Amino acid sequence: MSRYLTLSALAVLFLFPLVWSGYVSLEEPSNYLEMARFGEGIDTYATNSLLVAVMTVGGTLIVSALGGYGFARFDFPGKNLLFLATLAILMVPYATILIPLYVLLGYLGLQNSLVGLSLVFVMFQLPFALFMMRNAFEALPRELEEAALVDGCGTFRAFWRILLHAVRPALITVGLFAFLASWNDFFAPSSCSTTDRPSRCRWPWSA
C-alpha cells in the first residue's frame, strides 16, 4: 500500500507543473487562435514536420539495416576504416556540416524541399543508426542465417524474413531516435529554405 502511495505522490509531483502550465495557457485562449493562424497555418507546419519525420525514419531504417547487415556479415577491403569514417561524423559540429550540405542541396536542386531536408536528417542519424544495427546483427548467431540458407532462402530473403525480425528492438530504437531528432529540430529546417518563408518547403518536382 505504501508503495502505491509513494508512486501516486511522485506522479502528482511530476505532473503538476504540466497541468498548471496547461491551465495557465487557457487563460488567454486567443493565443491558440493566433498560433493556428500564424504564417501558413499550423496545419501546414504540422504536415511538413510529419512528412519529413516519416521520410527520415524510413530512410534511416532502410540504409542502417542494410548497412549494419553488410558491416556485420560481410568482409571487404576497408570495412573497418569505412565504419570508423562513418562514426567520425559524430565528432563534427552540427552547424559546420549544414553549410556544405546547403551548397550540395543547391547543386542537386533539393534546397527548400522536404526531400532534401529529410536527406539531411538521415545523414545525421546514420552514424548512430549504423552502430546500433551492426551490433544488433553481430549479436545474432550465424547459425540462424545458415539454417535459413539451408532451407532454401537466398541471402536477401534470409535477411528480410528472418534477421530483420530478430533485430526488431534495434529497429524500433533507431526509428524512435530518428523521429524525435527530425520532429524536434529547428536549425536544419530553417537552413534548408532559400527564402524568408521556410514553411513553404516543397517537393523537388513541384513548381
Side-chain angles (χ1 to χ4, degrees):
M1 184 65 179
S2 60
R3 182 178 65 177
Y4 290 109
L5 290 176
T6 302
L7 293 176
S8 300
L10 289 174
V12 171
L13 179 65
F14 285 104
L15 290 176
F16 177 76
L18 298 177
V19 175
W20 178 256
S21 299
Y23 172 75
V24 172
S25 69
L26 293 174
E27 292 182 354
E28 293 290 340
S30 60
N31 294 335
Y32 288 98
L33 297 177
E34 292 296 327
M35 180 180 68
R37 292 194 294 260
F38 177 77
E40 301 299 321
I42 194 172
D43 56 336
T44 300
Y45 299 132
T47 301
N48 285 346
S49 297
L50 183 60
L51 289 174
V52 170
V54 170
M55 287 188 290
T56 301
V57 171
T60 303
L61 289 178
I62 292 172
V63 177
S64 64
L66 293 173
Y69 176 69
F71 279 119
R73 287 292 192 259
F74 298 104
D75 292 321
F76 51 88
K79 167 184 169 181
N80 294 329
L81 182 61
L82 179 60
F83 186 68
L84 290 176
T86 305
L87 294 182
I89 299 176
L90 295 172
M91 297 185 292
V92 181
Y94 179 69
T96 60
I97 303 181
L98 283 177
I99 297 175
L101 282 177
Y102 180 86
V103 176
L104 178 60
L105 291 177
Y107 285 123
L108 297 176
L110 294 176
Q111 280 181 351
N112 199 34
S113 71
L114 300 179
V115 175
L117 180 58
S118 64
L119 290 176
V120 171
F121 285 133
V122 169
M123 194 216 68
F124 281 121
Q125 291 301 307
L126 273 185
F128 168 77
L130 279 175
F131 178 77
M132 285 286 298
M133 296 310 303
R134 178 183 181 179
N135 290 343
F137 282 114
E138 285 183 342
L140 297 178
R142 288 185 176 270
E143 290 78 9
L144 185 65
E145 184 178 3
E146 292 170 356
L149 296 176
V150 169
D151 288 339
C153 289
T155 302
F156 182 78
R157 189 177 180 186
F159 165 77
W160 178 258
R161 299 291 298 272
I162 306 297
L163 299 184
L164 275 185
H165 293 278
V167 297
R168 191 178 302 170
L171 289 172
I172 294 174
T173 302
V174 168
L176 287 175
F177 271 92
F179 179 85
L180 292 175
S182 61
W183 183 268
N184 292 330
D185 195 278
F186 174 77
F187 193 36
S190 64
S191 301
C192 91
S193 176
T194 57
T195 68
D196 60 348
R197 305 293 291 276
S199 62
R200 289 183 177 271
C201 282
R202 57 176 176 80
W203 298 99
W205 53 82
S206 63

